[in-house]
C-alpha cells in the first residue's frame, strides 16, 4: 500500500530473499526519504536514511543478510509521513 501523493510505485525484489533486496519506487515530488525495516514486534531492525531525493524513479539496495529468517515490514516515509509499506520475507 502506498500514498499516491508521494509514491507512484513501490516494489521490492527478490522477495523472498536470502540477503539483499532491491527497492524500486517512484517519487511524485522531490522530498526527504527515510526507509525503516521493522520486525514482527515493531522494532526498527534496519534504517536507511536518505537525503533529499529528486522526483522520479529510485532504486535502493537494502542488505538484510544480518537479519534472522522471518517476515518484516518495510516502511518508506516521505516528507515526514508514511508513504508506503511492503512485507519482506527473509529466508
Amino acid at each position: 500500500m502506498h500514498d499516491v501523493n508521494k509514491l507512484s510505485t513501490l516494489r521490492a525484489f527478490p522477495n523472498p530473499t536470502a540477503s539483499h533486496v532491491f527497492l524500486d519506487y517512484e517519487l511524485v515530488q522531490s522530498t526527504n526519504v527515510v526507509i525503516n525495516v521493522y520486525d514482527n514486534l515493531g522494532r526498527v531492525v534496519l534504517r536507511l536514511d536518505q537525503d533529499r531525493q529528486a522526483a522520479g524513479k529510485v532504486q535502493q539496495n537494502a542488505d538484510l543478510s544480518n537479519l534472522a529468517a522471518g517476515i518484516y515490514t518495510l516502511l518508506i516515509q516521505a516528507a515526514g509521513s508514511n508513504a508506503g509499506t511492503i512485507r519482506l520475507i527473509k529466508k
Side-chain angles (χ1 to χ4, degrees):
M1 174 186 296
H2 59 274
D3 183 341
V4 294
N5 295 320
K6 296 182 178 76
L7 289 178
S8 63
T9 61
L10 173 59
R11 294 184 322 140
F13 56 92
N15 192 13
T17 185
S19 59
H20 289 83
V21 65
F22 295 94
L23 307 174
D24 186 14
Y25 55 95
E26 187 167 351
L27 294 169
V28 175
Q29 61 189 16
S30 177
T31 187
N32 292 331
V33 174
V34 175
I35 300 170
N36 288 321
V37 177
Y38 297 87
D39 66 10
N40 61 351
L41 298 176
R43 298 177 295 201
V44 176
V45 294
L46 180 63
R47 182 178 176 101
L48 302 170
D49 288 319
Q50 302 297 309
D51 292 328
R52 188 163 189 83
Q53 292 182 340
K57 293 183 180 183
V58 179
Q59 285 194 328
Q60 176 76 32
N61 180 14
D63 183 2
L64 306 180
S65 61
N66 291 330
L67 301 180
I71 299 174
Y72 296 88
T73 301
L74 180 136
L75 171 66
I76 294 183
Q77 293 179 314
S81 63
N82 296 347
T85 59
I86 195 164
R87 296 274 185 208
L88 299 175
I89 300 171
K90 169 69 169 45
K91 295 191 235 178

